[in-house]
Amino acid sequence: MQLDDLYRQVIMDHYQHPRNRGQLEGDAVSVHLHNPTCGDDVTLQLAMDGDVVRDVRFQGVGCSISIASASMMTEAIRGKKLDDALALSDSFHRMIRGEETDSEDLGDLEALQGVSKFPARVKCALLAWNALERAVEIEKNRGRGTDDGDGAAGS
């Protein structure tokens, strides 16, 4: 089996059977983003335990790349400290832009590396990750008392 075929299977599995899809109850940071270019739409929720992502869920509609990326991201960041989740997001952004990055840090997310060859799909792959970065910003501001009170951010 070719590596590209394996990557395609991983992406399709996450698209057809997304992990952590749903809604969190209780105190969770929620961020909604929409890509008007293609119609992808995602709402990401983070539940924190101190500075650790205790739980994460997403809801949304979109193409296979968008949904698979969101599903894979939720698996990758659960249990991570916020700063580690941001570092992973930075590595993922670099990979999707075709820049050099340490693939060991990315694990299964490396399956999305081929997206870098299709500029029109880069935004699809990054939508949930951009929501993560906004959610982390909101969570960090909560700790400083500067949250706007609703815990949500739109696009």
Side-chain angles (χ1 to χ4, degrees), residues 28-43:
V29 175
S30 183
V31 173
H32 174 257
L33 292 180
H34 176 75
N35 181 350
T37 306
C38 65
D40 290 345
D41 192 85
V42 68
T43 299

Side-chain angles (χ1 to χ4, degrees), residues 69 73 77 88-89 92-93 109 125-133:
S69 181
M73 180 199 67
I77 66 166
L88 182 63
S89 180
F92 185 79
H93 273 81
L109 293 165
L126 293 178
L127 187 64
W129 293 88
N130 292 337
L132 169 65
E133 291 178 357

Side-chain angles (χ1 to χ4, degrees), residues 69-81:
S69 181
S71 174
M72 294 168 80
M73 180 199 67
T74 63
E75 286 195 315
I77 66 166
R78 178 181 275 123
K80 287 200 181 304
K81 290 185 175 189

Side-chain angles (χ1 to χ4, degrees), residues 11-66:
I11 292 167
M12 288 310 295
D13 182 51
H14 277 273
Y15 173 63
Q16 294 170 341
H17 309 285
R19 283 44 152 205
N20 304 307
R21 192 174 213 169
Q23 188 169 345
L24 290 174
E25 299 298 323
D27 187 31
V29 175
S30 183
V31 173
H32 174 257
L33 292 180
H34 176 75
N35 181 350
T37 306
C38 65
D40 290 345
D41 192 85
V42 68
T43 299
L44 181 72
Q45 292 182 297
L46 296 180
M48 303 302 300
D49 186 4
D51 70 340
V52 174
V53 178
R54 177 176 42 82
D55 202 359
V56 56
R57 300 269 187 238
F58 81 97
Q59 293 179 310
V61 294
C63 66
S64 60
I65 298 299
S66 177

Side-chain angles (χ1 to χ4, degrees), residues 116-152:
S116 67
K117 299 173 189 165
F118 304 95
R121 305 304 298 274
V122 166
K123 287 183 180 180
C124 304
L126 293 178
L127 187 64
W129 293 88
N130 292 337
L132 169 65
E133 291 178 357
R134 286 201 186 174
V136 169
E137 182 180 332
I138 291 167
E139 180 60 29
K140 285 185 173 190
N141 285 337
R142 272 184 173 184
R144 291 193 298 262
T146 58
D147 181 32
D148 62 9
D150 68 2

